[in-house]
Amino acid sequence: MDDQRTHIISALVLHKPGVLQRVAGLFTRRGFNIESITVGTSEQEEIARMTIIAKGDGKVLEQITKQLNKIIDVIKVRDLEPENTVKRELCLIKVHSPTEKIRAEVVQYVNIFRGRVIDVSPETLTIEMTGASDKIDALIDLVKGFGIKEIARTGPTAMSRGVKTI
Amino acid sequence: MRGGEALLKSLENQGVDVVFGYPGGQLLPLYDMIYDSDLRHILVRHEQCAAHAADGYARASGKVGVCIATSGPGATNLVTGIATAYMDSSPIVAIAGQVPTGLIGNDAFQEVDTLGMTMPITKHNFQPITSKEIPEMVKSAFYIAGTGRPGPVVLDLPKDVQEQELDFENDVKINLPGYKPTRKGHPLQIKRAASLIGNAKKPVILAGGGVIISNSSEELLKLSELVGAPVTTSLLGKGSFPEDHDLSLGMLGMHGRLSANFAVDKCDCLIAVGCRFSDRTTGKISEFAKNAKIIHIDIDPAEIGKNVDVDIPIVGDAKIILSNLIRAISQNKMSSKSMEWVNRVKDFKQTCIPKMSFDNTPLKPQQVIKEIAEAVDDDTIVTTDVGQNQMWMAHYFTSRKPKTFLSSGGLGTMGFGFPAAIGAKVAMPESDVVAVAGDGGFLMVSQELATVKEYDIPVVICVLDNRYLGMVAQWQNLFYEKRLSHTHLGESPDFVKLAEAFGVAADRVERPGELREVLSSAINSGEPTLIDVTIDPDEILPMVPPGCGLTEIVGEYKTEPNNSEDVPYHEAAKERAGD
Ligand SMILES: Cc1ncc(C[n+]2csc(CCOP(=O)(O)OP(=O)(O)O)c2C)c(N)n1
């Protein structure tokens, strides 16, 4: 039995009401663990693309893909190879920053991480950061000390590198 | 044309001639249209039985069964029947009423989220928001339910949509880009399987319900005889192989025949066809067929490798794959017919021929099954309920033909047998239909006596009356220090009087030899009849305790006297099975 691994599953599904419930429900019912699931429109109007991040060994992954394929509204499922995949997540972080000094520091970190400040109030800065999930984790770690008021993360979305499509 | 009429017309286009249903507020428009249609509608007395009847109809005929119920409580009552069909891959289309589209989501009167509720127990479900969608949805629903691995499909029909006008088109195109069942097996895998079987010394075939669904009993028989492989079945596979054949081992598993359990334990090659390796069939997985290479043929790729690790997976239709496999094996001239193995199997099978003749009262269940078997012919469709009655039948009743043994396997639904028999009789009016039930399970659906009376559906119901929830009491006796917590049913009701209250003929049987006569004449009477059979509550079916390997049977097993005097059954058989 091979080791637990985090898998990036990309699925093309019909863009219809209830599809997300069908997919998410399957994970609950079969006892699979989803770390995140993102869904949005694809290059074709009637088709949406889902990115599911799930942990499990080879056997679990095989069941996940097979069970996903059984859903009538799921058109295609692929387990993306991590090394040949581009993967990005969007995160918004609202940081407590009541003083000039803190603001300057936060902005500095944001610049290093190539994030952006997208909202400012006398008490807070809101940062937008897009990137690999571990980079986002690292930025969150750095600004944690100032006091984080809110975090909103989308979970990663992904596709294969190069000309390959699913 | 209105939406409801489009639904009826679409059903007609699918060849539907009968539906089992129960009306209600949100179905008033549809029922008003049914009033003017040629559709045969059977009013059951509880929606759960509409679903079971549609399921029985489907299992007996191989066609898609249809049931209808109103929104809310009607739909929730269907759920058990839908889940039962889902677990056993039975094709039904369940039509539920729904509140008008404008009220959906408002907790309107009798509103329930039927789509959400049935998602995990259906192959797919639909809800048309405009009547225009109906023709395509109905066609898709039947296509999905009846192809690939069959299963239930729900159509949730809002009240206003039933009335909305549309231009009906007869030949709609369906578009299901995500649904493409594989039928042909992979040639290379078939080749590999052929050579594995060719080289096997001790092959065994395990046949499941998929063999029956795909109509491949003939191919199964051919393969078994070609390579000298004994055949065991799962509960749902019962009837896929003639159980009076020399190579038949009977049912495998927790309540299976010891000869089958031994053969699977000893085999070096297990050819599993159309079965899903349920825990009731395999016993402890790590002990299951541990000396064998396993070939698994199934139309559902997700079944392969789900419970049991497989050496050669073949995805596709069993009929096509078995034919190709037979061809490949014959071409290779690899007939491995290992007479040594066949003889050894025959030998330990001989040691375990169960004793069925008892002249005791109260009647022994074995004797009851024996008399049922003597009273019916090969084409009689028998249904069982769930519990000891089911397992006595599965264990002792000899099935010879596919689609003649109907039982709730996967969900184990008490109350299945009687309504399923109604559906089976409606589907196959030329066949005799006998339902076998426990007293507990029968009481869950006894109101359907009104239905068989009203529509004159001549099924015969044998209630094996032990005044206990027998199967649960058995587990309490074996595994809970005989603490019979809430499994005694008491002394009521009088089933004969109950049937008579519904105007249904009834009889009571208490002594050996009586049932054969009474059952024969009930079948010949052409009238629905209930037979109350008083049986011994203390008789315990030998079984494999949960979590044990298939050969670790507990409970006394009586053998025919000429086989092995007083040696406990499994000891003698174990010895013959050898290593
Ligand atoms: C709907 C439902 N409720 C409960 C059970 C659990 N159960 C399984 S067998 C059984 C006892 C069945 O008793 P009876 O119908 O009298 O049949 P017997 O075992 O005596 O033949 C019960 C309660 C079930 N399978 N289905």
Side-chain angles (χ1 to χ4, degrees):
Chain A
M1 193 126 301
D2 48 348
D3 283 336
Q4 297 272 319
R5 195 162 74 75
T6 300
H7 296 272
I8 313 158
I9 301 161
S10 183
L12 291 181
V13 303
L14 290 182
H15 202 353
K16 292 207 300 205
V19 177
L20 183 59
Q21 188 184 353
R22 287 182 202 280
V23 171
L26 177 122
F27 279 78
T28 332
R29 184 166 98 73
R30 297 273 172 191
F32 303 139
N33 200 8
I34 320 188
E35 293 196 353
S36 78
I37 186 165
T38 64
V39 56
T41 45
S42 72
E43 65 285 358
Q44 283 161 279
E45 200 185 327
E46 71 281 17
I47 291 176
R49 186 183 299 274
M50 279 187 188
T51 306
I52 301 159
I53 310 289
K55 236 193 190 130
D57 59 26
K59 206 173 155 153
V60 167
L61 179 84
E62 183 183 324
Q63 265 301 306
I64 292 178
T65 34
K66 284 175 166 178
Q67 294 293 348
L68 278 173
N69 264 315
K70 270 174 77 166
I71 299 177
I72 307 282
D73 289 341
V74 172
I75 299 170
K76 229 177 200 183
V77 181
R78 184 73 46 89
D79 179 27
L80 302 180
E81 307 160 4
E83 55 282 9
N84 288 321
T85 300
V86 284
K87 196 169 105 186
R88 288 290 181 273
E89 181 175 1
L90 167 67
C91 176
L92 302 178
I93 313 161
K94 191 175 286 176
V95 188
H96 185 58
S97 43
T99 67
E100 274 307 321
K101 186 162 164 284
I102 292 177
R103 268 166 221 263
E105 237 174 295
V106 171
V107 169
Q108 212 177 0
Y109 289 145
V110 169
N111 287 338
I112 294 169
F113 276 79
R114 293 182 210 285
R116 287 202 304 157
V117 173
I118 55 168
D119 187 51
V120 187
S121 79
E123 303 265 297
T124 60
L125 280 177
T126 300
I127 308 164
E128 172 203 313
M129 167 80 193
T130 306
S133 302
D134 53 354
K135 271 219 175 122
I136 294 174
D137 293 342
L139 176 62
I140 291 172
D141 253 5
L142 272 177
V143 298
K144 215 187 246 160
F146 307 117
I148 291 175
K149 295 196 146 304
E150 251 181 347
I151 290 181
R153 295 177 74 151
T154 59
T157 187
M159 60 172 67
S160 297
R161 284 185 193 281
V163 289
K164 212 162 148 193
T165 58
I166 83 155
Chain B
M1 171 183 301
R2 290 166 299 168
E5 291 164 318
L7 175 78
L8 296 173
K9 183 87 182 103
S10 305
L11 291 179
E12 191 186 300
N13 287 348
Q14 290 298 324
V16 174
D17 49 8
V18 60
V19 299
F20 303 90
Y22 206 100
Q26 309 301 348
L27 278 180
L28 277 165
L30 180 68
Y31 268 80
D32 191 56
M33 298 172 212
I34 290 178
Y35 196 70
D36 289 328
S37 81
D38 296 330
L39 191 66
R40 182 171 177 212
H41 179 280
I42 292 180
L43 176 69
V44 291
R45 267 44 173 182
H46 188 297
E47 290 90 347
Q48 181 179 335
C49 295
H52 289 327
D55 185 344
Y57 177 98
R59 292 185 203 214
S61 66
K63 294 192 284 186
V64 177
V66 183
C67 57
I68 303 186
T70 190
S71 68
T76 54
N77 275 349
L78 282 182
V79 164
T80 301
I82 295 171
T84 303
Y86 182 69
M87 289 293 272
D88 289 349
S89 310
S90 181
I92 65 170
V93 169
I95 298 160
Q98 184 54 279
V99 301
T101 47
L103 288 179
I104 290 179
N106 292 0
D107 297 324
F109 177 63
Q110 295 192 329
E111 183 187 358
V112 74
D113 175 13
T114 302
L115 285 188
M117 196 169 66
T118 58
M119 239 172 231
I121 52 164
T122 49
K123 199 168 162 188
H124 196 57
N125 57 18
F126 293 99
Q127 184 186 62
I129 293 302
T130 67
S131 59
K132 282 202 293 281
E133 302 166 54
I134 289 175
E136 189 187 332
M137 278 185 185
V138 173
K139 196 167 178 184
S140 302
F142 277 78
Y143 179 62
I144 292 169
T147 56
R149 177 181 185 171
V153 176
V154 163
L155 204 63
D156 191 34
L157 198 61
K159 188 176 188 182
D160 54 332
V161 177
Q162 296 165 37
E163 287 180 314
Q164 207 178 69
E165 290 287 333
L166 75 152
D167 292 325
F168 187 81
E169 222 194 292
N170 253 320
D171 41 22
V172 279
K173 296 254 174 316
I174 58 173
N175 176 26
L176 299 164
Y179 182 62
K180 293 182 208 79
T182 311
R183 284 173 49 77
K184 287 213 174 100
H186 196 286
L188 193 71
Q189 297 295 65
I190 293 176
K191 223 168 125 186
R192 286 180 58 208
S195 101
L196 183 64
I197 298 169
N199 291 321
K201 296 233 158 17
K202 298 185 277 182
V204 166
I205 299 174
L206 165 57
V211 174
I212 295 172
I213 293 171
S214 62
N215 292 314
S216 42
S217 287
E218 250 175 67
E219 288 79 4
L220 175 69
L221 182 64
K222 230 185 220 169
L223 178 67
S224 148
E225 289 179 344
L226 177 66
V227 299
V231 178
T232 178
T233 72
S234 67
L235 176 68
L236 291 192
K238 209 174 151 68
S240 63
F241 191 79
E243 290 186 307
D244 51 357
H245 192 287
D246 257 0
L247 286 167
S248 169
L249 291 164
M251 188 176 78
L252 179 72
M254 176 182 272
H255 299 286
R257 287 257 174 116
L258 192 54
S259 43
N261 290 8
F262 273 132
V264 167
D265 190 56
K266 297 283 174 268
C267 73
D268 64 354
C269 170
L270 183 72
I271 309 152
V273 192
C275 73
R276 62 188 179 88
F277 294 113
S278 128
D279 53 299
R280 285 296 191 263
T281 302
T282 61
K284 191 176 175 184
I285 290 278
S286 58
E287 292 292 306
F288 178 72
K290 56 183 183 304
N291 305 307
K293 293 263 187 241
I294 300 180
I295 299 165
H296 190 185
I297 299 168
D298 204 290
I299 197 154
D300 180 357
E303 282 310 332
I304 293 178
K306 187 184 79 180
N307 295 341
V308 165
D309 289 330
V310 171
D311 299 285
I312 305 181
I314 315 178
V315 176
D317 181 80
K319 196 176 179 75
I320 300 176
I321 294 170
L322 287 178
S323 314
N324 291 339
L325 202 50
I326 290 165
R327 195 170 319 128
I329 292 172
S330 328
Q331 273 170 0
N332 290 357
K333 300 205 176 52
M334 282 192 312
S335 168
S336 72
K337 220 168 207 161
S338 159
M339 288 318 287
E340 194 196 324
W341 170 241
V342 169
N343 287 334
R344 194 164 137 209
V345 167
K346 268 191 204 155
D347 184 49
F348 63 74
K349 205 171 117 181
Q350 211 56 36
T351 341
C352 332
I353 290 181
K355 180 170 158 66
M356 293 184 67
S357 308
F358 291 86
D359 47 16
N360 319 37
T361 47
L363 278 165
K364 292 288 183 195
Q366 296 91 324
Q367 170 74 19
V368 172
I369 308 302
K370 182 178 158 216
E371 293 190 32
I372 293 175
E374 286 165 354
V376 304
D377 62 37
D378 287 3
D379 292 308
T380 303
I381 297 168
V382 298
T383 71
T384 81
D385 212 72
V386 166
Q388 283 182 314
N389 62 89
Q390 175 185 37
M391 290 305 149
W392 293 117
M393 281 294 283
H395 200 105
Y396 291 106
F397 185 82
T398 305
S399 290
R400 294 178 180 83
K401 293 191 176 175
K403 302 197 174 100
T404 60
F405 185 90
L406 315 185
S407 192
S408 165
L411 200 67
T413 310
M414 280 171 78
F416 171 81
F418 177 30
I422 296 176
K425 183 69 190 176
V426 168
M428 311 296 282
E430 302 301 319
S431 302
D432 298 328
V433 179
V434 174
V436 174
D439 42 352
F442 177 70
L443 265 184
M444 288 188 171
V445 291
S446 54
Q447 75 284 344
E448 298 307 320
L449 287 168
T451 310
V452 291
K453 172 68 185 168
E454 175 71 25
Y455 294 94
D456 192 16
I457 302 170
V459 297
V460 182
I461 312 122
C462 297
V463 180
L464 306 196
D465 189 353
N466 56 9
R467 300 290 151 165
Y468 277 92
L469 298 173
M471 182 61 98
V472 181
Q474 164 162 346
W475 284 53
Q476 290 170 335
N477 275 317
L478 290 173
F479 312 122
Y480 292 87
E481 298 165 355
K482 300 191 170 27
R483 286 153 55 87
L484 297 180
S485 177
H486 305 283
T487 44
H488 184 45
L489 288 169
E491 292 311 313
S492 61
D494 179 330
F495 287 104
V496 172
K497 281 192 184 149
L498 178 75
E500 283 167 358
F502 283 98
V504 170
D507 215 327
R508 177 169 290 117
V509 162
E510 286 169 328
R511 261 169 287 280
E514 286 176 2
L515 178 59
R516 189 177 9 220
E517 306 296 311
V518 172
L519 180 53
S520 293
S521 68
I523 291 172
N524 293 331
S525 76
E527 264 186 68
T529 311
L530 180 146
I531 306 171
D532 179 22
V533 189
T534 309
I535 62 163
D536 186 351
D538 291 331
E539 189 63 18
I540 280 186
L541 178 74
M543 67 177 290
V544 175
C548 288
L550 285 178
T551 58
E552 299 172 61
I553 288 191
V554 301
E556 191 197 356
Y557 206 111
K558 300 167 185 82
T559 45
E560 287 296 353
N562 56 344
N563 286 315
S564 63
E565 299 82 65
D566 283 331
V567 189
Y569 163 82
H570 53 282
E571 291 311 323
K574 210 177 236 170
E575 218 161 84
R576 302 288 183 97
D579 275 315

